[in-house]
Amino acid sequence: MERTFLMVKPDGVQRNLVGEIVSRFEQKGYTLVGAKMLAVSKELAETHYGEHKERPFFGELVGFITSSPVFAMVWEGENVISEARKMMGATNPQEATPGTIRGDYGIQVSKNVIHGSDSVESAAREIDLFFNEDELVSFKKTNSEWV
Ligand code: IDP
């Protein structure tokens, strides 16, 4: 059983897509084990996107993610890290398949609606960065044998 970190970015929150996005992962069968609205600080943004520090768009990226609140989530389930990436679609919404979140709701790469961890290591790092242990629950859903 895996856990992944997903985040509705400022454009998704402003466009009222939080409910739709939560609904997609719920209906798929994954379990939401933590969630919160937060305003990302410059420091948190720079740490979260640290691997992109040398990229030309780093300043734009940090400016965007701190521009308005985000909705941070931890989801649990079998292979949820890679499956959530499939459900999100390609980084550039114009390359994302229709039916994926970015394919359905995004146009520009800088406003691509959602972030999701891309590996077991980044999931662990990002969950730890955004959530305290006591903000996450651990439970078994009564319908789990049907999913
Ligand atoms: P990912 O979010 O699909 O994992 P990454 O390559 O990790 O993609 O890039 C992080 C974020 O940086 C992307 O989600 C996207 O919003 C933004 N980004 C990527 N390339 C560009 C660019 O060329 N200009 C502006 N923003 C970009």
Side-chain angles (χ1 to χ4, degrees), residues 9 49 51-52 55 57 60-61 85 88 90-91 102 109-112 114-116 118:
K9 295 184 181 184
Y49 283 129
E51 66 175 298
H52 299 300
R55 302 272 193 97
F57 58 87
E60 184 191 348
L61 194 55
R85 296 278 300 185
M88 288 161 49
T91 303
R102 288 163 169 172
V109 70
S110 57
K111 297 191 186 72
N112 60 1
I114 185 167
H115 167 84
D118 62 4

Side-chain angles (χ1 to χ4, degrees), residues 113-140:
V113 183
I114 185 167
H115 167 84
S117 307
D118 62 4
S119 66
V120 172
E121 294 72 31
S122 67
R125 187 179 75 89
E126 292 168 359
I127 290 168
D128 191 50
L129 196 55
F130 280 82
F131 286 90
N132 294 319
E133 193 54 48
D134 64 5
E135 293 176 302
L136 304 177
V137 294
S138 195
F139 72 113
K140 190 170 188 269

Side-chain angles (χ1 to χ4, degrees), residues 4 56 107:
T4 194
I107 297 175

Side-chain angles (χ1 to χ4, degrees), residues 6-18:
L6 302 181
M7 173 169 64
V8 183
K9 295 184 181 184
D11 53 331
V13 172
Q14 289 284 351
R15 292 173 56 201
N16 301 320
L17 293 172
V18 169

Side-chain angles (χ1 to χ4, degrees), residues 28-90:
K28 173 81 174 170
Y30 294 126
T31 300
L32 184 61
V33 297
K36 62 183 173 186
M37 291 290 302
L38 79 148
V40 176
S41 67
K42 188 163 183 279
E43 189 188 10
L44 176 58
E46 287 176 349
T47 306
H48 174 65
Y49 283 129
E51 66 175 298
H52 299 300
K53 206 160 48 194
E54 307 305 329
R55 302 272 193 97
F57 58 87
F58 183 67
E60 184 191 348
L61 194 55
V62 170
F64 174 65
I65 209 74
T66 57
S67 65
S68 185
V70 302
F71 187 68
M73 302 165 276
V74 177
W75 286 87
E76 189 176 87
E78 193 178 310
N79 284 326
V80 67
I81 299 170
S82 62
E83 290 300 311
R85 296 278 300 185
K86 285 187 207 162
M87 291 168 68
M88 288 161 49

